[in-house]
Amino acid sequence: MTLRELAPPLAGSGHRFDQERHWAASLALRFAKRDGATRLIQARHQGPLRVQRPFYPEGRQEACHIYVLHPPGGLVSGDALTIKAHVEQGAHALLTTPAANKLYKADSQGVAWSQCTELEVADSATLEWLPQETIAFDGSKGEQRTHIDLHGSARCLGWEVMALGRPASELPYLSGRIEQFFRLTLDGKPLWLERQPLDPLHPRFTGRWGQGGATVQATLWAVGMSDAPAAIEELRNALPDNPRWAVTVRQGVLLLRYLGNSRNEAWALCEQAWKLLRPRWIEREAHIPRIWLT
């Protein structure tokens, strides 16, 4: 899983975006520090995207926990989701989801879906982006974009876990195409740019030089780690000793990658890494969102 240069918006990628069947939903959140605590000062939405009330399980002066809700529970042909979050100076927000996100099979016309996540973190602010996993059904077609813009001494830790197909139901991911784009910048300068096509008909999907037939992948990133080499050593000593994951640091971005066939293993790896990194990263113990336990 090497870094790949982010490509421009797709043209001729095989995706069909039908404007007459374009069902948009959006959510825009803004967090600010008020009276020593992080407050959700703006929550604008269109369509089936909502948030529950803010939670403060770590204390009123600590992180503001937010659950992003998408009642349909997944994306179908024509869906277009946009999630935006801005964390102002000195604020600290943790965003997660109540359940796995599902990417359903494209309709008979092959119309694609799209999902865009835009996160902006101001100087001295902190953001944790910890959504539950995404499950792509056989035949799913769409595009995922994640853009993170950091400023000054902003700190950001997050992950993305993708499971292709439903092996337990003997329904592997045999057709479809998902394009993933990731862009992380600091003061407008790129730190990490990546594009990844997930196409089961491409040789890369099964080739040992590419996906290698793996059905689950995960990436955890952390920016603002004061002692990344020591953090990497701790992860290597504490996490399960197997060849399905690796960790490194590039351009000040700590990157942990998983490539295997178990979404439970991938999720457990990311969660354990977060628990180990958080005290080093922001000098606070990890506090598991209650929604993960329901």
Side-chain angles (χ1 to χ4, degrees):
M1 289 183 287
T2 59
L3 296 184
R4 294 169 292 278
E5 185 177 3
L6 184 70
L10 290 180
S13 66
H15 292 326
R16 176 186 171 190
F17 296 95
D18 192 332
Q19 293 301 318
E20 293 183 358
R21 298 181 52 201
H22 180 80
W23 300 300
S26 63
L27 178 68
L29 307 175
R30 194 174 191 91
F31 300 87
K33 195 166 186 179
R34 300 285 191 269
D35 301 322
T38 297
R39 309 293 186 191
L40 176 62
I41 62 170
Q42 183 182 88
R44 296 179 177 176
H45 69 86
Q46 174 188 357
L49 271 176
R50 302 286 194 280
V51 296
Q52 283 189 326
R53 64 178 178 82
F55 295 95
Y56 294 89
E58 304 178 57
R60 298 293 292 182
Q61 305 301 314
E62 306 298 341
C64 176
H65 288 219
I66 290 290
Y67 303 158
V68 178
L69 308 178
H70 181 227
L75 298 176
V76 300
S77 291
D79 280 353
L81 295 190
T82 301
I83 298 173
K84 297 182 179 182
H86 179 90
V87 187
E88 294 187 3
Q89 187 171 5
H92 180 183
L94 184 155
L95 277 65
T96 187
T97 57
N101 180 32
K102 299 177 180 64
L103 309 177
Y104 293 109
K105 181 178 180 178
D107 63 12
S108 60
Q109 301 301 311
V111 176
W113 49 262
S114 67
Q115 181 173 1
C116 182
T117 303
E118 300 179 9
L119 310 173
E120 185 172 7
V121 191
D123 182 30
S124 76
T126 302
L127 174 64
E128 295 172 83
W129 173 252
L130 309 176
Q132 297 203 45
E133 70 270 22
T134 296
I135 302 172
F137 286 41
D138 180 35
S140 182
K141 294 182 179 181
E143 181 178 291
Q144 289 181 315
R145 292 180 178 270
T146 301
H147 299 164
I148 303 176
D149 297 321
L150 308 179
H151 303 273
S153 60
R155 298 177 295 191
C156 182
L157 187 153
W159 63 48
E160 292 186 354
V161 180
M162 169 70 81
L164 300 170
R166 295 175 290 163
S169 301
E170 299 183 353
L171 295 170
Y173 189 70
L174 300 177
S175 64
R177 181 180 174 90
I178 298 172
E179 293 273 354
Q180 293 182 315
F181 298 85
F182 194 99
R183 183 185 73 196
L184 190 155
T185 64
L186 176 62
D187 294 328
K189 298 180 179 180
L191 298 181
W192 175 29
L193 305 177
E194 180 168 305
R195 173 195 172 190
Q196 178 172 232
L198 298 173
D199 183 349
L201 301 181
H202 193 281
R204 177 192 171 279
F205 194 81
T206 54
R208 297 184 63 182
W209 50 273
Q211 191 88 359
T215 60
V216 179
Q217 61 185 46
T219 300
L220 178 149
W221 67 86
V223 180
M225 194 72 61
S226 60
D227 191 358
I232 288 175
E233 189 65 22
E234 182 178 11
L235 291 174
R236 288 173 175 165
N237 290 332
L239 296 180
D241 184 14
N242 66 58
R244 291 183 292 280
W245 68 272
V247 62
T248 187
V249 61
R250 291 288 185 272
Q251 300 287 349
V253 183
L254 185 148
L255 288 170
L256 184 149
R257 304 280 203 153
Y258 170 90
L259 188 62
N261 293 294
S262 171
R263 60 189 174 105
N264 289 337
E265 182 180 50
W267 175 266
L269 183 76
C270 289
E271 184 178 337
Q272 187 176 353
W274 170 62
K275 291 178 180 177
L276 291 168
L277 290 173
R278 203 175 195 244
R280 287 181 174 274
W281 182 56
I282 56 173
E283 298 182 350
R284 296 180 201 163
E285 296 295 325
H287 195 106
I288 295 177
R290 184 174 57 190
I291 197 70
W292 294 359
L293 305 177
T294 59

